[in-house]
Amino acid sequence: MPEFISQTLNGLSLAGIMFLVSSGFTLVFGVMRVTNLSHGAVYLLGGYVAYSVIAYKGNFFYGLLAGTVAMAAFGLLLEGTLIRRMRGRPMAELLATLGLVYIIDDACLVLWGGNPLSLRLPGALEGSSNIPVGQITYPNGRLFILGVAVVVGIALFFLLRRTRVGAVVRAGVDDRNMVSALGINVRRVFTAVFVLGAALAGLGGVLGGTIFSLYPGGDSDILTYALVVVVVGGLGSYEGAILGSLIVGLIDNYGQAYFPSLAYFALFAPLVAILLVRPQGLLGRAAT
Amino acid sequence: MKSPSAAAALNQVDDASGVIGVVDRHRRLLSILVGVVLVVFAGVLLGSGGFYTSLVEDILIYAIAAMGLDFLGGYGGLVSLGQAGFIGLGAYGIAVPEAHGFGPWTSIGIALVVVAATAAVTGIVAIRVTGISFVIITLAIGQILWGLAYRWVSLSGGDNGLVISGFPKLGPLDLTNPQVLAFVILAVFVVVALVLRTLVSSPFGLSMLGIRSNEQRLRTLGYRTGLHRYLAYIIASIVGGVAGILYAFSNNLISPTTMDFSHNGIITLMAVLGGLRSLWGPVLGALIITLIQQELSIYVSRWQMLMGAVFVVVVVFTPDGLWGLMRQGTAALRRRRARAGPGDAARPDAAGTEAGTGQSSATESSESGVR
């Protein structure tokens, strides 16, 4: 039983990282209809930036901030230069971001080399603490990730559901043309959402770098997770990203713990089930 | 490689528009041109051994896989990011039975069955969605195939991969001889190209195009559109698997890297860079990218970055890829000539009904809309 509880916590912290990455992906898709395949590469880049800042400054939280802000800036650059040129050509956007993956990956290889790098957590977060349920000791770092994911999740939920900005974004998901016709600057909304998505990916990269290491190819691993999550949860649905992360994170972690050689089948199972029963995803709308 | 009779038949069907005749004449010329290039290839294959043989083999193998992808993506509107997964599956389909003591011919049979069966199973899931979602699902399928190869160590040898040792022999067909192997690869390439050419101009291929531009209409007309997509997916996957079988014999080694995300992306890049819905475009794309990968990488260490940059530029500026660019160029030339001479005044406007179901571009490709 203690084993099961700690595996569950592992699954939840994995779900936390999946949520950070996939919520950005799904928001960008939902509002802009842009399938950003470089989302995983942004995750990796964010982690690497944090690594360098931590090495320079010696403080994990500077790295956390730097990775997130740097990726927000990168998202701004990307949206302004590349994505905007291809408005209304979803497949071109998807393919261009695929090309971008090779550029970013190669740049990361030049700058940070091919060896796996790990982000070290500061003082208190490095240890473990006792958890009353089931009498287990559990690493603080993973609890920290879980905490950050929950805080970000709630903050985004309130942003989307309770603020004017969020209302505009949700309206954008539903009907972009109508939003535009109402006199709202859709272009600015697009930029903001893309920047937010990149920042979330960067944040995910910094946190992910503490439990998985950062390595070439790590971006496609996380991208796969994110894609499975958004397909299960429903493309473009924020709540779907939360639900999908929980399902996929837990199943994947149990799979890896109990059936290691078939872990990828465990990842595939929810995907197949969802696609057969509900192709648009659990909380997604029918394809338009 | 469109046969003259089929071209003539197409001409008769749409004889109202003179443009098609021009395109057809033009296309025959291109076919001859490409045929000549193939002969030159064969010469290179024969003349040199070693590096260039394996280079051309790689180009042909990737061209086969990319053509399969184009069949599905260009004609069916279903762009896949999982094609390298089927290359890997075909290659593992050879390597795993061989490691268990089966002969090469049995292994080829097993490989084909495994590829077809996997395509049949994953296809049920994949064709539930279209457009962007299809790309994502195939990417996930590709990643899962990669993950299986990577983690199912007892079967696949894990990260180290498997070595292919046995080669099929059948009379004069002794694949242990690299030059025979090279010509077999060339022959398979030609056969696959002919089969796909025939398919895309067959009723099946035409209804695929119809589904791509307006699925609702085709369904109303009584076409089983889901079945069409499903079959196209299986055909494309088997073509990928065939490429994989050739890959296994040409490289003597299969490891999970062959089917990772990066390689899946590269096959898609090949097809799109060259230009979808042309079948020649992917061959061009395979040629360019394999050259960048293997030739340029000798001089430029950052070839991956270069490849990505070239690709982004092509996607942003030429929606129809390089093949489309060439066609636009020749079309512009032809128009200028037509303006000079009287008579040929028909305007290419067949592409008026592009519904954009997941195709990268479409609006400018007036000629490709004909097909």
Side-chain angles (χ1 to χ4, degrees), chain B residues 28-357:
Chain B
R28 217 172 299 148
L29 205 93
L30 278 176
S31 297
I32 294 167
L33 195 81
V34 176
V36 169
V37 171
L38 276 179
V39 172
V40 172
F41 264 14
V44 173
L45 280 168
L46 253 186
S48 73
F51 179 74
Y52 285 102
T53 307
S54 74
L55 179 72
V56 176
E57 281 176 10
D58 276 353
I59 292 171
L60 290 174
I61 289 168
Y62 285 125
I64 292 173
M67 277 194 297
L69 199 138
D70 184 20
F71 176 68
L72 185 63
Y75 298 86
L78 302 167
V79 178
S80 163
L81 257 178
Q83 187 75 337
F86 286 97
I87 296 184
L89 204 61
Y92 274 110
I94 298 288
V96 172
E98 276 203 347
H100 287 80
F102 290 96
W105 285 107
T106 326
S107 302
I108 290 179
I110 293 175
L112 285 173
V113 169
V114 167
V115 167
T118 310
V121 172
T122 55
I124 297 172
V125 180
I127 59 130
R128 303 272 304 175
V129 289
T130 53
I132 301 285
S133 299
F134 181 82
V135 183
I136 294 176
I137 300 296
T138 51
L139 197 161
I141 291 171
Q143 281 293 90
I144 284 148
L145 291 175
W146 168 81
L148 277 177
Y150 187 66
R151 299 205 193 174
W152 202 346
V153 181
S154 57
L155 193 71
S156 69
D159 211 5
N160 298 324
L162 291 172
V163 175
I164 288 95
S165 47
F167 292 89
K169 287 179 197 167
L170 189 73
L173 219 64
D174 177 8
L175 294 199
T176 40
N177 181 341
Q179 285 182 345
V180 175
L181 178 67
F183 273 104
V184 167
I185 291 174
L186 182 64
V188 173
F189 169 79
V190 171
V191 169
V192 169
L194 286 175
V195 167
L196 289 180
R197 290 260 136 212
T198 315
L199 268 177
V200 296
S201 49
S202 72
F204 178 79
L206 295 176
S207 45
M208 287 295 297
L209 273 182
I211 292 167
R212 202 186 67 90
S213 53
N214 192 337
E215 175 163 0
Q216 193 63 50
R217 188 178 298 166
L218 270 277
R219 205 183 295 141
T220 314
L221 287 171
Y223 284 85
R224 297 183 63 185
T225 56
L227 187 65
H228 275 81
R229 284 208 304 266
Y230 184 56
L231 288 176
Y233 176 84
I234 292 179
I235 292 169
S237 304
I238 290 177
V239 169
V242 167
I245 292 171
L246 297 176
Y247 180 92
F249 289 122
S250 135
N251 285 274
N252 302 349
L253 177 78
I254 172 71
S255 73
T257 325
T258 315
M259 52 205 293
D260 64 7
F261 173 75
S262 165
H263 274 81
N264 273 312
I266 285 177
I267 309 286
T268 310
L269 297 195
M270 285 173 179
V272 175
L273 180 75
L276 288 175
R277 207 159 20 129
S278 60
L279 287 187
W280 288 125
V283 179
L284 185 68
L287 177 77
I288 292 171
I289 288 186
T290 314
L291 283 179
I292 290 182
Q293 240 179 324
Q294 303 200 355
E295 280 280 290
L296 213 61
S297 62
I298 302 169
Y299 310 105
V300 190
S301 55
R302 302 268 65 87
W303 65 269
Q304 238 191 359
M305 205 179 278
L306 185 80
M307 182 184 74
V310 167
F311 183 71
V312 169
V313 168
V314 167
V315 168
V316 172
F317 292 105
T318 66
D320 285 328
L322 296 177
W323 192 259
L325 200 66
M326 278 165 57
R327 278 181 141 174
Q328 272 170 36
T330 48
L333 268 178
R334 210 164 46 232
R335 262 200 299 279
R336 201 178 300 161
R337 207 178 307 154
R339 216 170 291 141
D344 202 353
R347 280 281 309 140
D349 59 350
T353 54
E354 298 289 356
T357 42

Side-chain angles (χ1 to χ4, degrees), chain A residues 29-41:
Chain A
F29 181 87
V31 177
M32 305 169 72
R33 291 290 180 276
V34 170
T35 315
N36 183 8
L37 289 185
S38 66
H39 205 66

Side-chain angles (χ1 to χ4, degrees), chain A residues 41-191:
Chain A
V42 172
Y43 160 97
L44 191 63
L45 190 59
Y48 276 134
V49 167
Y51 177 86
S52 289
V53 170
I54 294 168
Y56 179 66
K57 279 278 187 186
N59 187 331
F60 176 80
F61 293 98
Y62 279 128
L64 190 74
L65 196 66
T68 311
V69 171
M71 286 312 99
F74 184 67
L76 190 66
L77 179 78
L78 208 59
E79 204 274 337
T81 53
L82 189 63
I83 305 294
R84 196 172 286 173
R85 296 196 73 104
M86 295 178 290
R87 280 290 59 222
R89 288 163 53 198
M91 194 56 84
E93 286 162 341
L94 182 149
L95 293 166
T97 56
L98 174 65
L100 212 57
V101 170
Y102 293 91
I103 301 176
I104 298 174
D105 278 4
D106 212 29
C108 285
L109 192 64
V110 176
L111 292 171
W112 287 281
N115 294 325
L117 302 175
S118 240
L119 297 184
R120 278 201 59 194
L121 287 161
L125 292 177
E126 214 178 0
S128 300
S129 51
N130 291 312
I131 291 176
V133 192
Q135 278 89 44
I136 56 164
T137 15
Y138 197 75
N140 289 342
R142 280 182 175 261
L143 293 175
F144 174 67
I145 290 171
L146 201 51
V148 171
V150 169
V151 169
V152 170
I154 293 172
L156 276 179
F157 183 82
F158 273 95
L159 180 75
L160 287 171
R161 291 281 155 187
R162 294 281 181 275
T163 67
R164 199 187 130 75
V165 176
V168 170
V169 169
R170 280 184 295 129
V173 175
D174 287 342
D175 192 336
R176 274 173 299 166
N177 294 335
M178 185 53 92
V179 172
S180 185
L182 287 171
I184 291 161
N185 189 341
V186 176
R187 193 181 240 204
R188 200 181 298 158
V189 176
F190 282 175
T191 309

